[in-house]
Amino acid sequence: MAVPKNKVSKSKTNSRYANWKISAPGLVECPQCKELIKSHTVCPKCGYYKGKEVVAPKEEK
């Protein structure tokens, strides 16, 4: 049975979890409409992916 040899302090325990930060998503510019989008996704504004139209763009009312 695994038993700790010494007590682990609260600061040591908490410092293990101190570096779990959320990072900002990597945004790139769409080559067609110059809108910032997540990489490797279809642009929601113009519907292009890798220079080809994949989805028809949404029309604004």
Side-chain angles (χ1 to χ4, degrees), residues 38-58:
K38 288 198 301 187
S39 61
H40 306 291
T41 58
V42 177
C43 179
K45 189 171 181 185
C46 65
Y48 275 76
Y49 181 71
K50 288 190 175 180
K52 297 178 185 173
E53 187 174 4
V54 180
V55 182
K58 293 182 179 178

Side-chain angles (χ1 to χ4, degrees), residues 30-43:
C30 175
Q32 300 291 326
C33 64
K34 310 298 185 219
E35 186 79 17
L36 284 178
I37 59 170
K38 288 198 301 187
S39 61
H40 306 291
T41 58
V42 177
C43 179

Side-chain angles (χ1 to χ4, degrees), residues 21-32:
K21 299 179 198 87
I22 194 162
S23 60
L27 297 177
V28 295
E29 192 177 80
C30 175
Q32 300 291 326

